[in-house]
Amino acid sequence: MEKQIKKVVLAYSGGLDTSIIIPWLKENYNDCEVIAVSADVGQGTELDGLEEKAKKTGASKLYILDLKKEFIEDYIYPTMQAGAKYEDKYLLGTSFARPVIAKRIVEIAKKEGADAICHGCTGKGNDQVRFELAIKAFAPEMTIIAPWRVWNIKSRDEEIDYAEAHNIPLKISRETNYSKDKNLWHLSHEGLDLEDPANEPQYEKPGFLEMGVSPLQAPDKPTYVTIHFEKGIPTAIDGKEMGAVELMEKLNKLGGENGVGLVDMVENRLVGMKSRGVYETPGGAILYAAHENLEMLCLDKATAHYKQLVAVKFGEIVYDGQWFSPLREALQAFVEKTQENVTGDAKVKLYKGNIINAGITSPHSLYSENIATFEDDGGAYSQKDAAGFINCFGLPIKVKAMLEARKLK
């Protein structure tokens, strides 16, 4: 027998989906109590007026949790250190925001003695998996309500109809109804004209981009920025030490002004379909590039190459919602070991959508100009040694060629 639902904790953003979910829950679960929980992961003004809106639509209370520092330090930085991307492009902005939110929502649900946790993720998307796997990791017996998988509403237009019928105020219109997700790391855009991959994103259209400008509208003069890393963690910009949140905000500003960090891709969703999205990740793109440049100095060849394999798997794990898994923990331990000597400065030049290496230095650099030089190295490297190396390295090729020659006789 299904347990009776008297109290539900809702992951609440105040957007279209979760705005109509509050009255829907009360209509369909015997006027249950709905406690809204909003996580501040850097979405800024989207949090304005949420408490009043949540209570007006039927919530008994609203928690607003400031998770920005935890989000950056415990989720973004480990993923960036791994060099993890999904399908070589997506910097996982929505993917790693979900586990930090879900973990804290479970804490509220337990504190409140809730019977269920509800989210507004669609049945077509990845976020339902990310939320629910995180919930299962910390509250395996908790009932999960996913309205998009059970209600009769079939489109965002029908959602707007429902909102209007229930006098729920919305910040969007039917004409500008992109599906967006914003946090301190990125902003995603899906829907409307973007659903056809043949359509070019309207980067120059006023209001489309929110974290920056089109490369065409960026300044004609480049911007230089130097990021200092300590064991793979960014700690300062242009010599000024900063906390994680301040540093991220600064890089977003610099990157946005120069039109960097725009990604337009058709990705393979976890549920099996392909989907087209446009992502703005200005500060994140700078961090990834600077960190990768510094690693070129500090990692030996074997570690660097193997780490590239780990990066692909790490990215898939994060994308697939398996943050709270033994494999992610194990891979992160490997990555942390690789970062022990990734300390130094990475200077980049930002210019019209490009992030260009402008110099790297490290006290742990493995690069030796004395050995690599085309000039006189003073005997640091004997070029004669290369002949014996090539003979050994090429022996299998030589033996195979000799055998093939014998066959032709």
Side-chain angles (χ1 to χ4, degrees), residues 396-406:
I397 295 174
K398 180 179 179 180
V399 169
K400 182 176 184 299
M402 292 169 63
L403 290 173
E404 292 295 330
R406 288 176 191 168

Side-chain angles (χ1 to χ4, degrees), residues 1-299:
M1 179 180 176
E2 186 177 341
K3 68 179 180 181
Q4 189 174 2
I5 304 298
K6 295 180 179 179
K7 184 184 290 189
V8 179
V9 168
L10 169 66
Y12 181 72
S13 69
L16 177 58
D17 295 331
T18 56
S19 293
I20 69 171
I21 282 174
I22 294 176
W24 182 86
L25 284 170
K26 297 182 78 67
E27 287 176 0
N28 289 272
Y29 290 90
N30 298 313
D31 198 31
C32 63
E33 180 183 359
V34 179
I35 297 170
V37 180
S38 293
D40 181 1
V41 285
Q43 57 270 55
T45 57
E46 291 181 12
L47 295 167
D48 294 348
L50 274 195
E51 183 171 9
E52 180 184 3
K53 182 177 181 180
K55 289 182 177 178
K56 273 188 176 180
T57 50
S60 63
K61 67 173 79 168
L62 171 70
Y63 287 88
I64 296 182
L65 310 174
D66 186 353
L67 305 182
K68 295 191 292 294
K69 186 172 183 290
E70 179 182 353
F71 175 42
I72 296 172
E73 294 181 345
D74 295 348
Y75 296 80
I76 290 177
Y77 283 172
T79 307
M80 181 272 299
Q81 287 179 306
K85 304 173 186 177
Y86 184 67
E87 298 187 337
D88 202 36
K89 287 188 176 184
Y90 175 40
L91 297 186
L92 300 162
T94 301
S95 308
F96 48 32
R98 298 317 186 209
V100 65
I101 294 170
K103 178 183 178 183
R104 298 298 290 274
I105 286 175
V106 169
E107 292 175 5
I108 298 296
K110 289 181 176 180
K111 172 185 172 183
E112 289 283 351
D115 304 302
I117 293 175
C118 179
H119 64 74
C121 309
T122 74
K124 288 184 176 181
N126 305 302
D127 280 344
Q128 58 182 333
V129 182
R130 296 165 184 157
F131 265 113
E132 294 185 30
L133 292 191
I135 293 169
K136 291 178 188 300
F138 296 101
E141 304 303 321
M142 181 68 69
T143 296
I144 299 172
I145 300 173
W148 268 106
R149 301 203 295 253
V150 295
W151 64 15
N152 294 321
I153 297 173
K154 293 182 174 60
S155 68
R156 292 178 73 78
D157 260 356
E158 289 184 12
E159 282 188 287
I160 294 174
D161 291 339
Y162 185 98
E164 291 174 347
H166 289 75
N167 299 312
I168 299 170
L170 299 174
K171 295 181 180 179
I172 61 171
S173 69
R174 295 177 194 272
E175 291 74 29
T176 60
N177 186 22
Y178 285 108
S179 175
K180 298 188 178 187
D181 178 76
K182 186 178 183 181
N183 58 47
L184 196 57
W185 184 251
H186 91 152
L187 173 65
S188 64
H189 308 253
E190 293 180 322
L192 297 182
D193 57 305
L194 296 178
E195 290 193 342
D196 184 352
N199 292 331
E200 179 183 3
Q202 301 302 301
Y203 293 137
E204 290 77 42
K205 184 178 179 181
F208 180 75
L209 296 178
E210 296 181 25
M211 296 183 74
V213 299
S214 162
L216 295 178
Q217 298 164 332
D220 294 330
K221 182 180 178 182
T223 298
Y224 286 88
V225 56
T226 300
I227 303 172
H228 180 74
F229 291 84
E230 288 286 337
K231 295 186 176 181
I233 298 294
T235 60
I237 295 177
D238 295 332
K240 180 184 177 183
E241 292 193 6
M242 299 181 183
V245 176
E246 182 187 5
L247 185 142
M248 199 67 247
E249 290 173 342
K250 177 69 173 178
L251 289 180
N252 278 335
K253 181 177 184 297
L254 293 172
E257 289 170 348
N258 287 278
V260 306
L262 296 177
V263 169
D264 173 15
M265 66 183 293
V266 176
E267 69 197 58
N268 291 293
R269 281 185 181 171
L270 176 58
V271 294
M273 69 184 72
K274 288 184 181 289
S275 105
R276 198 274 188 93
V278 168
Y279 300 104
E280 299 179 57
T281 321
I286 296 171
L287 264 189
Y288 263 70
H291 180 260
E292 288 171 1
N293 290 343
L294 187 58
E295 283 192 325
M296 290 192 298
L297 281 187
C298 302
L299 296 187

